[in-house]
Amino acid sequence: MSFVQIWRKEKWRITFLVAFLSISASMTACFWFRQPPLSAAAIAPRMNSAVDAVIAARKADIASISDVPFGDIKTINVLVLGIDSRKEGNEKHCDAIHMVSMNVQDWTMKVTSVPRGTYAYIPPGTYAENEYYLANACAFAGLDYGIEQIERVVGVRADYVVSVGFSQALGILRALELPTTESLQWLRHRQSYSIGDPQRSQNQAVFMKDVGLRMFQGGGIPDVLLRMLYSFVDTDMDYATAKTLYDGFRLNGIADRPDDVTLTMKPHYDVREIHFDPTQATAQIDALVAKLQGRLSRFDLSNKTVEEIQAELVKYLENSLKTGDDFATIFDEKLWLQVEETGTRESLEYRFIEYHVRSLSSSDHDAAIQYVADYILEKQTQGMLVWEQKGRVLLEKLVGE
């Protein structure tokens, strides 16, 4: 489904408004003429459904206008980190580092990128001196320590931190209908550039700017899609603040002011501005890879095929559902998003969510209901009617408990 098709779904607002006005008019007429009110079934038969009521309430909550006051604050600094958190390793490296400084008075933005290989002191441990760089500071000394070192390099403190793991990045790319494999290859690639890692960091910033501006075009993206994207990241920023920032930049026309989104790098490197073209993704990646023919060592290549790696991943996820092993980690990182085959991925996601909400329901029933409602809205937005229906069945059971 294209962005245009998603935006067309905003027509539900008009439908909702008409229905609301009709119901309000009916209730007003009943009051003035002292007639018994119409039954809910006569006004809107589907409103008899508790599931529909929950979903409608959740959609209205997501769509509600956020207006978080910033007071005298001029700039909000958000540290965006791409975390290497695939199942192969326990250490989480800061593979992408970008400080996004948002001026909430003139609604401009500056992205300061820091190459992952930038030197950072790390307390002594079981690693070599040549491993003293920012990505490893996060992994070896902990994320909080790594953030402190990043703030030293950039020269500002982060007001909020947004981290995105490997799996979540795939989910964001799919939600925005970008090619997953090629986009990640582009964002992670460095070997073809003579300057290496700094150019990769610059490419990531350019990609973020291009995709971000696209999200602000026209009337912006639907509220449900914005909430879905928010759910893919780990952050200490609440959703109301995130939505206020998004609405502020959209309403102040940032999409028409691309020059007001500036890119810089610390330490400074002479890098180029190279754009990723989703419509020519395969050709663009092939051109990069062609430059590496005969240059990479055999240790840079895996002896396993993509099919073998995917089979191992699915087996690992299936085992977790059976035994409960690593369930919390898998669920937090949404590891099923790494599964390429759509049917298998959607089935695994539903089963993990079903397992999670059954457990959550015993301690926080309302939170479990809200979680499934969000899942249903997500599948509506993606046009996955089969999984939307399965979510509705699950929600109906929860509501009836």
Side-chain angles (χ1 to χ4, degrees):
M1 181 180 294
S2 69
F3 264 97
V4 173
Q5 290 172 312
I6 294 176
W7 288 332
R8 284 175 179 167
K9 286 197 172 182
E10 289 292 277
K11 290 186 292 186
W12 69 266
R13 294 179 185 273
I14 299 173
T15 303
F16 179 83
L17 179 60
V18 171
F20 176 81
L21 291 175
S22 298
I23 294 172
S24 299
S26 299
M27 294 177 67
T28 302
C30 291
F31 175 81
W32 285 110
F33 292 102
R34 307 300 186 195
Q35 295 177 353
L38 295 174
S39 68
I43 297 173
R46 288 178 61 82
M47 290 304 292
N48 284 326
S49 168
V51 171
D52 285 333
V54 170
I55 295 173
R58 184 57 180 157
K59 185 180 289 186
D61 181 54
I62 291 173
S64 61
I65 298 175
S66 293
D67 187 17
V68 176
F70 296 130
D72 295 330
I73 295 174
K74 180 178 180 180
T75 302
I76 295 176
N77 297 304
V78 180
L79 178 58
V80 179
L81 299 174
I83 304 295
D84 187 354
S85 56
R86 290 172 290 175
K87 78 178 185 69
E88 289 83 357
N90 295 320
E91 296 173 343
K92 297 184 178 182
H93 298 77
C94 296
D95 275 358
I97 304 169
H98 307 276
M99 184 73 78
V100 182
S101 300
M102 293 177 279
N103 188 309
V104 294
Q105 293 183 7
D106 60 17
W107 297 99
T108 58
M109 191 181 304
K110 180 176 75 171
V111 181
T112 304
S113 302
V114 182
R116 70 188 293 277
T118 301
Y119 172 82
Y121 173 76
I122 306 175
T126 57
Y127 34 85
E129 290 185 5
N130 62 359
E131 295 180 307
Y132 281 44
Y133 51 91
L134 280 175
N136 284 343
C138 296
F140 297 161
L143 189 59
D144 288 341
Y145 180 83
I147 291 172
E148 290 178 3
Q149 303 312 303
I150 294 167
E151 291 173 333
R152 289 177 184 273
V153 174
V154 178
V156 300
R157 296 290 299 273
D159 297 300
Y160 300 99
V161 177
V162 176
S163 63
V164 183
F166 189 83
S167 303
Q168 293 96 324
L170 287 168
I172 291 171
L173 292 170
R174 287 196 187 96
L176 296 176
E177 298 195 334
L178 291 165
T180 53
T181 301
E182 292 84 356
S183 295
L184 281 177
Q185 285 179 299
W186 175 261
L187 294 171
R188 295 171 64 86
H189 189 83
R190 62 178 174 82
Q191 293 97 330
S192 295
Y193 308 112
S194 58
I195 199 173
D197 188 53
Q199 186 61 54
R200 169 171 61 181
S201 187
Q202 173 73 358
N203 290 352
Q204 293 168 355
V206 172
F207 183 92
M208 289 167 58
K209 176 178 177 178
D210 289 345
V211 173
L213 289 175
R214 175 184 171 187
M215 291 171 58
F216 290 111
Q217 290 175 354
I221 62 175
D223 294 314
V224 173
L225 179 56
L226 181 65
R227 184 63 179 80
M228 179 175 27
L229 295 174
Y230 175 84
S231 73
F232 281 127
V233 305
D234 295 315
T235 181
D236 53 356
M237 179 188 292
D238 60 273
Y239 178 67
T241 299
K243 190 173 187 302
T244 298
L245 288 170
Y246 174 80
D247 289 342
F249 277 101
R250 179 178 60 82
L251 294 172
N252 282 277
I254 192 64
D256 300 320
R257 299 183 286 113
D259 291 342
D260 284 340
V261 180
T262 57
L263 308 181
T264 187
M265 184 172 294
K266 287 190 176 181
H268 173 76
Y269 291 91
D270 290 326
V271 292
R272 295 180 293 151
E273 185 169 307
I274 309 174
H275 298 266
F276 177 68
D277 184 355
T279 65
Q280 300 294 326
T282 302
Q284 203 167 4
I285 296 301
D286 287 346
L288 289 176
V289 175
K291 298 178 181 180
L292 302 177
Q293 293 299 325
R295 291 173 52 191
L296 293 180
S297 78
R298 63 185 179 86
F299 298 107
D300 290 324
L301 303 174
S302 172
N303 293 322
K304 296 179 180 179
T305 66
V306 173
E307 290 75 16
E308 289 172 333
I309 294 173
Q310 285 285 302
E312 289 182 0
L313 174 61
V314 172
K315 182 178 179 181
Y316 172 71
L317 296 175
E318 291 281 3
N319 182 69
S320 178
L321 286 167
K322 292 178 182 178
T323 65
D325 293 346
D326 300 329
F327 183 91
T329 299
I330 291 172
F331 192 83
D332 288 342
E333 297 182 0
K334 303 181 187 295
L335 205 62
W336 56 80
L337 292 171
Q338 294 186 32
V339 177
E340 289 296 327
E341 202 281 313
T342 302
T344 304
R345 182 178 64 251
E346 293 299 323
S347 176
L348 285 166
E349 178 182 16
Y350 176 79
R351 291 161 62 194
F352 271 98
I353 287 176
E354 183 179 37
Y355 189 113
H356 170 71
V357 298
R358 287 298 182 191
S359 174
L360 178 62
S361 179
S362 61
S363 59
D364 193 337
H365 190 65
D366 289 343
I369 289 176
Q370 178 176 305
Y371 198 97
V372 179
D374 285 345
Y375 171 81
I376 293 168
L377 290 173
E378 176 182 326
K379 296 311 166 186
Q380 282 182 352
T381 302
Q382 295 174 321
M384 295 184 172
L385 302 182
V386 171
W387 298 103
E388 175 194 343
Q389 182 58 35
K390 290 182 74 69
R392 292 176 67 88
V393 172
L394 177 58
L395 182 57
E396 185 175 18
K397 293 178 181 177
L398 286 172
V399 171
E401 291 179 352

